[in-house]
Amino acid sequence: MPPILHYGFRPFFFLRAEVLLGLGVTTASDRVTLTVERAGTQRDVDLTPIPAAEFAAWAGPLGVIHLPAHDGLRYTDKSELLQVERIGTSVYARLNEVHWPSADDLARLKAQLAKPGVQRVIFDLRQNPGGDNRTYWELVDVLRTVPVPLWVLTDRATFSAASNLATELEALSTVRFAGEPMGGGLNFWDEVEFIKLEHQPIPVQVGLSTEYFERSTPEDPRLTIEPDLPVGYTSADYFAARDVLLDRLRTGSED
């Protein structure tokens, strides 16, 4: 299994001009030349780095590892904490961050689950960075009652409290996983406190984790949950607003 760094954080570093310079990928920190290929045609593009604050203002605080919202792609939609809708014979629910769902959100989910003709439930945790892992218990209790197959969708950006939630759901008898392996672990240290080392030759700060979150068994050696149905996405899928994974599940093409 490839290291988790490959899934979640390696692209983060390649967005930093100083890192590219240090790796010898570029020869200057004030200009980055990329070779772009589109429709079989290649061209070089010179890019000028911008300050991190300016990038965050454009892409959002998680823009270094998350995809920008794109019309037609539900897994990039941040407009609601919990999206719930009926798609054909499936109930689709997407949690975009891990926080307390409102009573109305839970009522909408329960109402959809109670309607006739539901053949599967699709619970989408893709692009979910986490949040507060003390706030998802009511949601787990609702999903625990699902009598039909429960598909949990994850990707490389499913992280922190979202991976805790996925691990809790793994114990349910009806659950199967689809998509990419999570970027977050099953058991891990978190709740980081930063200590500044201001008197070093290059001032740095070191993060110390203060709490261990164990959602699987203590002896579980896995770093992530491998999907039963592995399906990734490409830049071509993203720009064309194609969700190949959701299309396969909602049409019953799980195998």
Side-chain angles (χ1 to χ4, degrees):
M1 179 179 64
I4 298 304
L5 181 63
H6 167 75
Y7 290 110
F9 293 104
R10 192 173 293 171
F12 172 89
F13 295 106
F14 283 124
L15 281 175
R16 298 180 177 269
E18 292 85 355
V19 173
L20 297 178
L21 177 63
L23 292 174
V25 176
T26 62
T27 57
S29 62
D30 60 349
R31 187 183 72 259
V32 176
T33 301
L34 298 180
T35 301
V36 180
E37 180 175 332
R38 185 173 184 180
T41 301
Q42 290 187 350
R43 64 189 180 98
D44 290 340
V45 180
D46 289 329
L47 303 177
T48 301
I50 61 176
E54 185 178 340
F55 179 85
W58 168 70
L62 295 173
V64 290
I65 55 174
H66 278 214
L67 294 170
H70 195 297
D71 288 344
L73 289 178
R74 292 173 175 84
Y75 67 85
T76 67
D77 186 358
K78 298 286 188 180
S79 61
E80 296 179 278
L81 178 66
L82 181 64
Q83 302 167 239
V84 181
E85 61 181 302
R86 179 71 175 259
I87 305 177
T89 58
S90 302
V91 171
Y92 174 83
R94 165 174 157 69
L95 188 69
N96 72 61
E97 291 184 12
V98 181
H99 297 293
W100 284 115
S102 69
D104 288 344
D105 287 338
L106 291 174
R108 285 191 295 114
L109 178 57
K110 291 177 182 178
Q112 288 288 355
L113 294 175
K115 290 183 178 180
V118 176
Q119 295 184 6
R120 68 188 63 78
V121 176
I122 301 171
F123 185 55
D124 199 343
L125 288 174
R126 291 175 295 175
Q127 298 292 297
N128 187 320
D132 186 345
N133 63 6
R134 300 170 181 87
T135 64
Y136 57 64
W137 302 108
E138 290 177 299
L139 189 55
V140 172
D141 286 342
V142 172
L143 294 174
R144 185 176 285 119
T145 67
V146 171
V148 296
L150 169 63
W151 284 92
V152 177
L153 312 189
T154 60
D155 69 359
R156 69 196 76 179
T158 305
F159 192 67
S160 191
S163 60
N164 281 159
L165 172 53
T167 305
E168 299 275 0
L169 294 174
E170 188 185 30
L172 305 184
S173 60
T174 58
V175 75
R176 294 180 71 185
F177 284 81
E180 298 177 327
M182 305 184 300
L186 289 76
N187 302 324
F188 54 82
W189 286 88
D190 204 348
E191 300 300 325
V192 178
E193 293 183 3
F194 288 96
I195 298 176
K196 294 184 178 180
L197 305 178
E198 299 176 344
H199 301 295
Q200 299 299 313
I202 300 177
V204 296
Q205 62 179 9
V206 177
L208 295 178
S209 295
T210 61
E211 188 171 350
Y212 185 64
F213 293 96
E214 184 179 289
R215 294 295 182 265
S216 183
T217 58
E219 67 276 6
D220 195 331
R222 295 175 298 165
L223 297 178
T224 187
I225 296 175
E226 292 291 336
D228 301 287
L229 177 64
V231 179
Y233 42 74
T234 66
S235 58
D237 292 333
Y238 172 81
F239 288 114
R242 285 192 302 263
D243 191 340
V244 178
L245 174 56
L246 184 57
D247 288 342
R248 286 186 64 174
L249 291 176
R250 68 182 180 182
T251 57
S253 304
E254 295 107 16
D255 298 319

